[in-house]
Amino acid sequence: MTIARPRRSALYLPASNARAIEKARTLDADVVILDLEDAVAPEMKAQARAQAVTAAREGGFGDRELVIRVNAIDTPWGSDDLAAVANAGADAVLAPKVSSADDVAAYRSRLSQVPLWVMIETCASLFRLDQIAAAGPECLVMGTNDLAKEMRAPLTPERTAFHPALAMTVAAARSAGIAVLDGVCNAIEDPQVVGAACAQGVEFGFDGKTLIHPAQIEACNAAFSPSPEALAHARAVVAAFADPANAGKGAIRVEGGMAERLHLAEAERLIAVAAAIASR
């Protein structure tokens, strides 16, 4: 089974901060997102763009996936961002404020063959998730802070108001066969809150989570990696179905419980995920 590269932790860093970019080359995040949008003041946009392009061309990020988040296409900086990053050599470009399949197409037409990731952070996008996911992005990324602002709903640690949006975004991504990342946790200095946020993302079925600080990486990587117990059970399921005594059976007993063929597929996926993480 082929599994896409691990995307457990995706760290946003302002591309206007040269020191942060250099540090990113040493961090244990699976994905580094150089941000030209929310984290950059208007007067720093041009500098941030130039530094992001230079960083992408210089490389040095090892097996980390490098993504550049551009400003929205309808802002004063969007067109220049897209022109600059289209041939910069980043692994992907992240487009904000996407609300329709037409928005996806507009970004796609400006990026040549660069993989496109899109933010799900507007109210309008929630009613077109299946269309957006099917329009060709490689990854959906939750933007819960912007979504909270648009909905005028409090972004509590439990994220109660956003459960439908989170679940439906994951479902849309799975239907389209693409990756999906959870939104950020705004807590930095409270490891319990960060840990709980990562665990919730796992429960919803996300592949990983976007982060705002390096201190969040360790908890995120741990949460989105298969646990030793889960991996051991997965191997037991695979071994049981491989037993000639169970040939042709659709459901068997494994470690005191029932396992069906659908559980075999999930077990094989989990083992492949663990192998991909180990190879990183």
Side-chain angles (χ1 to χ4, degrees):
M1 176 179 293
T2 300
I3 293 291
R5 61 201 300 177
R7 290 168 177 153
R8 299 166 298 173
S9 51
L11 178 65
Y12 287 111
L13 291 170
S16 55
N17 188 332
R19 292 182 62 186
I21 294 174
E22 187 59 34
K23 184 177 181 180
R25 293 181 167 97
T26 69
L27 297 174
D28 198 28
D30 290 336
V31 182
V32 171
I33 303 175
L34 299 183
D35 192 15
L36 307 182
E37 196 213 13
D38 286 345
V40 179
E43 64 272 15
M44 297 295 291
K45 296 287 189 182
Q47 178 181 328
R49 180 191 307 127
Q51 291 186 169
V53 169
T54 297
R57 289 175 176 166
E58 289 178 348
F61 292 89
D63 51 13
R64 299 165 191 83
E65 200 166 6
L66 181 65
V67 179
I68 299 176
R69 179 165 73 168
V70 296
N71 289 281
I73 200 168
D74 59 354
T75 66
W77 314 281
S79 290
D80 288 341
D81 286 351
L82 290 167
V85 305
N87 298 300
D91 293 301
V93 169
L94 176 57
K97 312 294 189 296
V98 167
S99 294
S100 68
D102 287 343
D103 289 346
V104 177
Y107 283 102
R108 179 73 275 151
S109 68
R110 301 287 298 275
L111 290 172
S112 185
Q113 300 302 310
V114 184
L116 176 66
W117 296 13
V118 300
M119 300 287 300
I120 302 299
E121 54 185 348
T122 69
C123 291
S125 69
L126 302 183
F127 299 94
R128 305 172 183 132
L129 286 169
D130 56 341
Q131 300 168 32
I132 292 171
E138 185 175 282
C139 182
L140 303 183
V141 181
M142 288 300 308
T144 41
N145 281 332
D146 279 276
L147 188 57
K149 177 184 176 182
E150 281 211 1
M151 289 176 59
R152 302 177 190 170
L155 190 57
T156 63
E158 296 80 16
R159 302 193 295 182
T160 305
F162 307 95
H163 286 188
L166 296 170
M168 291 304 295
T169 299
V170 172
R174 297 296 173 235
S175 177
I178 61 177
V180 59
L181 301 182
D182 196 4
V184 302
C185 172
N186 295 319
I188 296 174
E189 298 180 355
D190 191 331
Q192 288 188 330
V193 172
V194 174
C198 293
Q200 187 189 57
V202 173
E203 290 177 355
F204 272 104
F206 287 98
D207 295 305
K209 188 172 181 66
T210 49
L211 309 174
I212 58 172
H213 195 277
Q216 299 173 324
I217 295 174
E218 183 177 0
C220 192
N221 283 348
F224 285 94
S225 296
S227 69
E229 295 78 13
L231 196 54
H233 180 70
R235 287 171 175 152
V237 170
V238 171
F241 273 103
D243 188 336
N246 294 320
K249 293 182 179 179
I252 60 176
R253 182 186 294 270
V254 180
E255 296 183 333
M258 185 189 72
E260 300 180 49
R261 290 283 168 180
L262 64 91
H263 298 114
L264 172 61
E266 176 58 17
E268 291 173 336
R269 187 197 68 82
L270 197 71
I271 293 169
V273 167
I277 291 170
S279 67
R280 182 187 178 280

